[in-house]
Amino acid sequence: MNSTLYDISNVQKEQYTRNGHILVRQLAAPEEIAAYEPVITEKVMELNYNDKPLSERDTYGKAFIQVGNLWQHSEIIARFVLAERFAKVAAELMGVDSVRIYHDQALFKEPGGGHTPWHQDQIYWPLDTDKTITMWMPLVDVPEEVGSMTFASGSQEAGYINKMVISDESHRTLAQYIEGKGFEQVSHGAMAAGDATFHAGWTLHSAPGNPTEHIRKVMTVIYMADGVRIAEPDSNARKNDLASWFPDLQPGDVAASRLNPVVWSR
C-alpha cells in the first residue's frame, strides 16, 4: 500500500460530525485495488463457511458472505487492513489522536443477494465509547442499481437505540423509527473501486440487494479510539464479540488485545 497519506478537509470533518457518514473518493488508487482484490477474494472464498444456496438462508445469510479478521490470515491483506492512510482518515473524522483496529470484515454480496436490513453496527461491539467508525470500501466498481449503503443522517446522535441484531424485525422496527424521527435517508449511489464511505458505530444504515450478475466485493475495517475500555456485554452478540476480538481481556480493560494494534497515531 502506497505510504502517501490522505488529508481530510475541515468541511469533510464537519459533514461527518453532522451526518454520521461521509464519502471519500479514490482513497485507494486503481493499481492498489488491482493488486489487493484478487488476494482478498481468494482468501474470502477459502474461509467462507456458508455453503447453503441463497434460497435456504435467512435474511442475514442472504445479505452477504461475511469473513472477519482476514489480516490475520495473510501478510498481503494485513498491509491493506493496517494501512496508515485509511486509519488517519478514521482518526481525523473521529477527532482523536490515535486509533486501533477493532477488526476487519469482507462483505461480499452475491448475485441475487438480499438487502441488508437497517441496523446499528455498535450493538455488536462491547465498547464503552462513541468513538468508533467503519470504513466500507468496494474492491470492484459498484453500479447505481447496487449502490452504496443508505444512511439515516444524524441518527448517530441517538446513541444506543435497541439491541436488535440484523434481521427482518430490525428492518421493520428501525424503518418506523427513522420515519418517526424524520431522519433524512442518504445513499452515496454508485462507487468506484477504491472509493470509501466512513460511518459512525451508531449511525443507522442499510443496503439494497444485488440484482446484477457480479459479486459486490467490499472490504471493511472498523476502528476505535486508542484508550477506550471494554463495556460489560449486555447481549449474546456482545458476549460473542468480546470472546472473538478481545481474547484474554475482561470488561473494564483497555480494548487493546493482540488483535487490536495501533494503526495510526498523530
Side-chain angles (χ1 to χ4, degrees), residues 6 23 60 76 104 145 152 193 232 241 249:
Y6 186 101
L23 170 64
Y60 191 107
I76 295 174
D104 67 47
E145 62 266 34
E232 186 71 44
D241 261 35
L249 298 183

Side-chain angles (χ1 to χ4, degrees), residues 112-135:
H115 74 121
T116 306
W118 284 109
H119 65 284
Q120 294 177 295
D121 290 342
Q122 200 161 328
I123 65 127
Y124 290 94
W125 307 340
L127 294 170
D128 187 15
T129 184
D130 63 356
K131 297 297 185 183
T132 60
I133 193 169
T134 297
M135 181 189 79

Side-chain angles (χ1 to χ4, degrees), residues 94-246:
M94 289 192 290
V96 301
D97 290 332
S98 183
V99 292
R100 295 178 180 272
I101 66 161
Y102 182 30
H103 61 83
D104 67 47
Q105 274 188 331
L107 301 174
F108 281 27
K109 195 178 288 282
E110 297 154 281
H115 74 121
T116 306
W118 284 109
H119 65 284
Q120 294 177 295
D121 290 342
Q122 200 161 328
I123 65 127
Y124 290 94
W125 307 340
L127 294 170
D128 187 15
T129 184
D130 63 356
K131 297 297 185 183
T132 60
I133 193 169
T134 297
M135 181 189 79
W136 189 96
M137 179 180 284
L139 305 175
V140 294
D141 291 346
V142 177
E144 188 75 35
E145 62 266 34
V146 179
S148 63
M149 292 178 290
T150 301
F151 300 99
S153 286
S155 59
Q156 78 284 359
E157 296 292 344
Y160 199 163
I161 296 169
N162 61 40
K163 299 178 184 178
M164 283 191 297
V165 297
I166 297 173
S167 62
D168 293 331
E169 183 186 5
S170 79
H171 195 68
R172 285 191 300 270
T173 302
L174 292 173
Q176 292 170 355
Y177 177 85
I178 290 164
E179 185 175 350
K181 292 291 185 182
F183 292 123
E184 181 184 7
Q185 297 181 36
V186 175
S187 171
H188 296 291
M191 292 174 65
D195 291 347
T197 59
F198 287 79
H199 66 272
W202 291 127
T203 302
L204 284 162
H205 58 287
S206 64
N210 181 6
T212 74
E213 297 179 355
H214 306 285
I215 301 176
R216 187 215 69 183
K217 300 177 182 180
V218 166
M219 191 66 182
T220 68
V221 185
I222 303 159
Y223 303 91
M224 56 189 173
D226 184 21
V228 306
R229 294 190 178 273
I230 298 171
E232 186 71 44
D234 58 356
S235 65
N236 286 333
R238 287 184 160 191
K239 289 176 183 174
N240 291 338
D241 261 35
L242 175 57
S244 295
W245 313 123
F246 299 122

Side-chain angles (χ1 to χ4, degrees), residues 49-125:
Y49 64 88
N50 199 340
D51 56 0
K52 289 183 179 179
L54 276 170
S55 60
E56 295 179 15
R57 302 182 205 167
D58 61 11
T59 298
Y60 191 107
K62 289 175 181 175
F64 36 60
I65 296 170
Q66 181 178 27
V67 181
N69 253 24
L70 286 171
W71 76 278
Q72 287 280 291
H73 296 275
S74 163
E75 291 183 7
I76 295 174
I77 297 174
R79 290 199 289 273
F80 180 93
V81 171
L82 306 180
E84 284 195 331
R85 189 191 314 159
F86 304 158
K88 176 176 179 283
V89 172
E92 292 190 341
L93 291 175
M94 289 192 290
V96 301
D97 290 332
S98 183
V99 292
R100 295 178 180 272
I101 66 161
Y102 182 30
H103 61 83
D104 67 47
Q105 274 188 331
L107 301 174
F108 281 27
K109 195 178 288 282
E110 297 154 281
H115 74 121
T116 306
W118 284 109
H119 65 284
Q120 294 177 295
D121 290 342
Q122 200 161 328
I123 65 127
Y124 290 94
W125 307 340

